[in-house]
Amino acid sequence: MTQTDTAAEVRTSANGEAFEAETVVKSNEEVNGEYRLLILDAPQRILNCRPGQFFHLLCPVTTAHQPYLRRPMSIYGFYPERGELHFLYKVTGEGTRALAELRPGDTLNVLGPLGHGYTIQDDWQNLLLVARGVGLATLAPLAQEARRLGRKLTAICSARSPEVLMSVDLFREMGAEVITVTDAEGTSGMEDIRATIEARIAAGEVDALYTCGSNRMLKLLQDIGAKHGIPGEIALEQQMACGLGMCQCCVRSFRRDNRIVHERVCREGPVFDMQEAMGW
Amino acid sequence: MVDLTAKIGALTLKNPIMPASGTFSEDLADVIDMNALGAHVTKTITREKRGGNPTPRVCEVRGSMLNSIGIPSKGIDYFIQNVIPFYQKYDVPLIVSISANNADDFARICEEISVPGVDAIEVNISCPNIEEDGKAFAMRPSTTHQVMTQLRGASDLPLWAKLSPNTGETSEVAQAAEDAGADALVVANTLLSMAIDIHSRKPKLGNLMGGLSGPSLKPITLRMAYQCAKAVDIPVIGCGGISKAEDVIEYLIAGASAVQVGTATFINPTAMITIIAELEAYMAANGMADLSALVGSVRDDDAADAVVFMETAP
Ligand SMILES: Cc1cc2nc3c(=O)[nH]c(=O)nc-3n(C[C@H](O)[C@H](O)[C@H](O)COP(=O)(O)OP(=O)(O)OC[C@H]3O[C@@H](n4cnc5c(N)ncnc54)[C@H](O)[C@@H]3O)c2cc1C
Ligand SMILES: Cc1cc2nc3c(=O)[nH]c(=O)nc-3n(C[C@H](O)[C@H](O)[C@H](O)COP(=O)(O)O)c2cc1C
Ligand code: FES
């Protein structure tokens, strides 16, 4: 029997500071049928972000939509020099529908930056990420960081069809090599992705793996990582209330030192060690 | 100058605004100045380590929320070694919330948590008591009296009894707690509730049911705070649905001596800071020197006891 326990160690946020701040919407355009890009004019103090961190958004209450709790969104881009904060989101329910109604000039209250983002250790020269759907939002800032640190990055971008592939240009601009795979072309199956990754590993071109969200991808990358001894990180999602670590509603289970531990996605995460994460 | 100090028995708070248990932790120090608060109230702990309930642990209902977090606890040793020292950095009284499944365990943790650094103990008697078919101690005057008597014998620190809205005997429960030696009442905890997803037909909480908190709870807990203030002589601390200074003022007028802010902090982590500033501004604008200008000032002229202590809608 494994023992259930909460984390022994209390971590504080990356920079120990988060802000509740008013921002102004610059634009909020559709990217394709399902996704929108929200660009906010944000105060400098909230733009000291790390890739993989998120903000907790107070979605507007409109006549049609009355969200109550905040909604967590990964930072898709942060540009202190332009005073901009970007989110890429999929319209799914009450909160994101309300977000979609925001027009340029409207204000949006945001809380952040929150959580622990991705790490790039000094000896991780060749990075490989696998992203699909809104996962691209979470992983995009990693490309920026990889370029800043002069690391080589390969991005496998997956989507239903070539038309709805997103962020390919963004990754290329960041100097990443982009491999696109789609359901429509029959190239996005787990075994195809495995073959692609293992070929690169054979060529000695992978020091660390990164992904987010999907259970299937977690299983695949855990398996590849364990087999070849390659470390990795995954960003996870869980429903949140406070986003700060106070309410304990966002816990997930992790395997650590032969025990099951519970950690808060908003605080200890959202980015976790790939091998410690557990499927759901 | 407005004097915001609130006296809760022997304790003096610099202002009447404090967090509600379970909606506050060390983590809020990332966002607000913790020294600005009237008191620090920690999440309920139990003696032993506990895991808490299945997810989803929260869901929203229009303008409010339900939670079934339960009481995941790292245990008392962890708390004494790690949490109490954190709060000792601040010049703010520390109120520790405790609970247990039965009266003996409750008394034990009450004794063990009575350590330097703790200024008062909030006893969460609104949690299920396994010896009474899972009914909360605070649902009945008899079980309230029993557990409070045992707790009183276990500690010399001020004891604040946290009552439950899941009772039809509010004033009797309040009097039982007072009679058994409670120093203050916190009124109240969440109200048992449910929500179902009509598409999947599944309950929205992993635990089926949970507690309602947020603005829609306020009329209920405000009514209870009013009744408790009428029924007992010890201070009443209002709790439920507070999100702005007007809500605080309403509780004070009803008879509360201080208040706790819960869910509002999830929506605006700076809510308590804003409320303190707004309360001060309101009192200054209305020429009020201190809280006595508000506390218990409700104009319920000559209402009969039968009306004040009603337990059903007329
Ligand atoms: C750390 C983190 C980062 C995220 N980043 C992005 C992103 O960059 N882009 C994006 O489109 N989405 C992202 N999500 C998912 C996003 O938070 C949800 O899609 C959104 O909360 C749905 O809200 P809704 O009101 O539209 O949907 P509803 O289904 O009406 O939401 C009901 C409740 O469930 C919660 N919820 C629903 N789906 C999720 C989910 N997948 N994760 C967590 N809570 C959920 C909502 O917050 C809300 O409280 C992220 C989630 C997390 C935890
Ligand atoms: C997520 C959550 C967790 C809570 N945990 C506790 C707890 O551990 N102990 C307790 O006495 N009350 C707990 N409460 C109840 C609050 O302290 C408070 O009584 C209730 O939420 C009503 O106040 P509000 O409407 O301002 O939130 C919790 C409430 C919420 C929303
Ligand atoms: S959302 Fe409250 S602890 Fe994570």
Side-chain angles (χ1 to χ4, degrees):
Chain A
M1 267 292 284
T2 42
Q3 204 186 333
T4 298
D5 192 7
T6 39
E9 170 205 14
V10 179
R11 287 198 258 167
T12 53
S13 76
N15 38 24
E17 249 188 336
F19 304 91
E20 184 187 332
E22 294 292 335
T23 62
V24 178
V25 176
K26 276 190 166 171
S27 67
N28 185 21
E29 301 285 324
E30 244 182 48
V31 176
N32 59 39
E34 292 170 352
Y35 298 90
R36 278 178 176 267
L37 174 63
L38 175 63
I39 299 182
L40 302 174
D41 192 346
Q44 284 299 327
R45 66 181 194 283
I46 73 170
L47 294 174
N48 181 17
C49 309
R50 306 269 318 139
Q53 282 190 305
F54 71 100
F55 273 83
H56 216 17
L57 311 184
L58 192 58
C59 304
V61 171
T62 68
T63 35
H65 308 291
Q66 282 99 32
Y68 179 64
L69 297 170
R70 287 176 181 262
R71 301 298 197 259
M73 286 295 161
S74 299
I75 300 163
Y76 179 52
F78 59 101
Y79 305 94
E81 62 292 352
R82 304 208 293 269
E84 278 182 11
L85 186 56
H86 295 198
F87 297 98
L88 181 69
Y89 65 99
K90 185 173 178 174
V91 179
T92 51
E94 191 89 348
T96 45
R97 272 187 224 123
L99 269 191
E101 287 188 25
L102 286 172
R103 298 286 166 264
D106 289 348
T107 56
L108 179 69
N109 179 298
V110 305
L111 170 66
L114 300 173
H116 282 82
Y118 292 105
T119 51
I120 302 178
Q121 290 187 12
D122 292 345
D123 54 343
W124 296 354
Q125 289 301 324
N126 301 291
L127 317 178
L128 185 144
L129 68 81
V130 189
R132 185 176 166 107
V134 290
L136 288 162
T138 314
L139 288 156
L142 185 65
Q144 211 176 343
E145 180 74 353
R147 186 173 67 167
R148 195 180 66 81
L149 297 174
R151 310 298 165 88
K152 191 167 168 293
L153 177 70
T154 307
I156 302 181
C157 297
S158 169
R160 251 186 304 113
S161 64
E163 300 77 60
V164 296
L165 269 168
M166 288 180 298
S167 310
V168 170
D169 296 341
L170 186 139
F171 281 120
R172 288 211 174 103
E173 271 169 38
M174 294 296 148
E177 179 193 345
V178 180
I179 300 171
T180 63
V181 298
T182 65
D183 305 352
E185 298 161 303
T187 49
S188 61
M190 288 297 129
E191 287 316 306
D192 295 312
I193 294 178
R194 175 193 291 276
T196 307
I197 297 174
E198 290 195 324
R200 307 219 145 220
I201 292 174
E205 286 171 2
V206 185
D207 298 324
L209 301 163
Y210 299 90
T211 190
C212 61
S214 135
N215 204 15
R216 284 195 312 163
M217 199 59 74
L218 168 64
K219 292 268 174 275
L220 176 70
L221 294 186
Q222 268 182 340
D223 190 55
I224 295 175
K227 197 162 127 198
H228 301 278
I230 296 172
E233 294 186 329
I234 181 167
L236 296 175
E237 294 186 357
Q238 180 63 288
Q239 202 183 347
M240 294 184 182
C242 72
L244 283 167
M246 303 185 288
C247 72
Q248 310 200 39
C249 84
C250 64
V251 295
R252 278 193 179 280
S253 304
F254 298 87
R255 206 179 292 106
R256 180 177 304 149
D257 305 331
N258 289 320
R259 293 189 316 166
I260 307 290
V261 299
H262 296 294
E263 298 210 314
R264 299 163 296 186
V265 171
C266 74
R267 192 76 189 181
E268 285 80 35
V271 175
F272 293 94
D273 181 272
M274 185 90 73
Q275 296 300 337
E276 289 183 356
M278 292 175 72
W280 55 92
Chain B
M1 258 301 279
V2 177
D3 176 7
L4 281 181
T5 55
K7 275 190 73 72
I8 305 295
L11 272 184
T12 302
L13 317 184
K14 65 181 93 160
N15 64 62
I17 311 298
M18 64 187 110
S21 176
T23 65
F24 174 76
S25 69
E26 302 91 296
D27 305 295
L28 193 57
D30 282 2
V31 190
I32 69 163
D33 172 11
M34 304 280 267
N35 262 321
L37 304 178
H40 293 155
V41 184
T42 51
K43 166 85 184 167
T44 302
I45 55 160
T46 53
R47 278 193 84 240
E48 74 289 357
K49 293 183 182 179
R50 289 179 25 157
N53 288 323
T55 55
R57 291 177 169 185
V58 298
C59 72
E60 65 180 40
V61 292
R62 185 134 322 148
S64 287
M65 68 176 282
L66 310 188
N67 88 82
S68 57
I69 306 285
I71 306 179
S73 175
K74 291 179 184 169
I76 185 172
D77 296 338
Y78 177 91
F79 190 87
I80 290 175
Q81 279 158 29
N82 299 281
V83 183
I84 294 176
F86 173 89
Y87 288 104
Q88 278 177 314
K89 310 197 279 258
Y90 301 103
D91 174 29
V92 175
L94 176 63
I95 320 300
V96 174
S97 172
I98 57 168
S99 194
N101 284 333
N102 62 67
D104 289 344
D105 283 356
F106 220 141
R108 240 177 113 188
I109 184 173
C110 189
E111 187 177 345
E112 289 171 4
I113 203 69
S114 299
V115 297
V118 178
D119 296 288
I121 301 174
E122 184 174 290
V123 293
N124 179 3
I125 56 171
S126 12
C127 59
N129 169 7
I130 48 169
E131 286 167 358
E132 294 281 340
D133 304 329
K135 290 204 164 48
F137 296 100
M139 285 175 67
R140 300 190 188 114
S142 59
T143 44
T144 299
H145 199 275
Q146 249 166 21
V147 73
M148 287 307 300
T149 304
Q150 254 185 287
L151 292 169
R152 183 68 284 168
S155 177
D156 293 329
L157 285 175
L159 293 184
W160 298 2
K162 182 145 178 196
L163 305 192
S164 167
N166 301 306
T167 177
E169 301 176 278
T170 306
S171 46
E172 291 86 350
V173 166
Q175 284 162 345
E178 178 184 41
D179 187 65
D183 296 281
L185 304 178
V186 180
V187 187
N189 214 310
T190 56
L191 183 66
L192 187 64
S193 306
M194 188 172 186
I196 300 171
D197 182 310
I198 60 166
H199 304 294
S200 65
R201 302 195 182 188
K202 283 195 194 153
K204 288 190 179 174
L205 294 176
N207 198 55
L208 290 186
M209 298 177 201
L212 173 71
S213 65
S216 45
L217 182 62
K218 200 189 79 179
I220 299 163
T221 43
L222 179 85
R223 179 266 298 172
M224 291 180 66
Y226 169 74
Q227 291 177 316
C228 290
K230 291 277 179 188
V232 301
D233 292 324
I234 51 177
V236 168
I237 297 161
C239 177
I242 294 171
S243 56
K244 42 191 203 303
E246 281 86 344
D247 300 324
V248 176
I249 295 162
E250 198 176 350
Y251 270 102
L252 297 178
I253 292 172
S257 301
V259 296
Q260 296 186 345
V261 177
T263 306
T265 300
F266 296 170
I267 309 304
N268 296 106
T270 54
M272 288 186 283
I273 305 296
T274 312
I275 287 172
I276 294 166
E278 286 175 359
L279 177 65
E280 184 167 17
Y282 172 89
M283 290 176 61
N286 289 280
M288 297 174 181
D290 57 44
L291 295 179
S292 68
L294 287 168
V295 176
S297 62
V298 57
R299 294 170 69 172
D300 55 355
D301 322 305
D302 301 326
D305 275 5
V307 179
V308 172
F309 298 119
M310 245 182 331
E311 286 289 343
T312 184

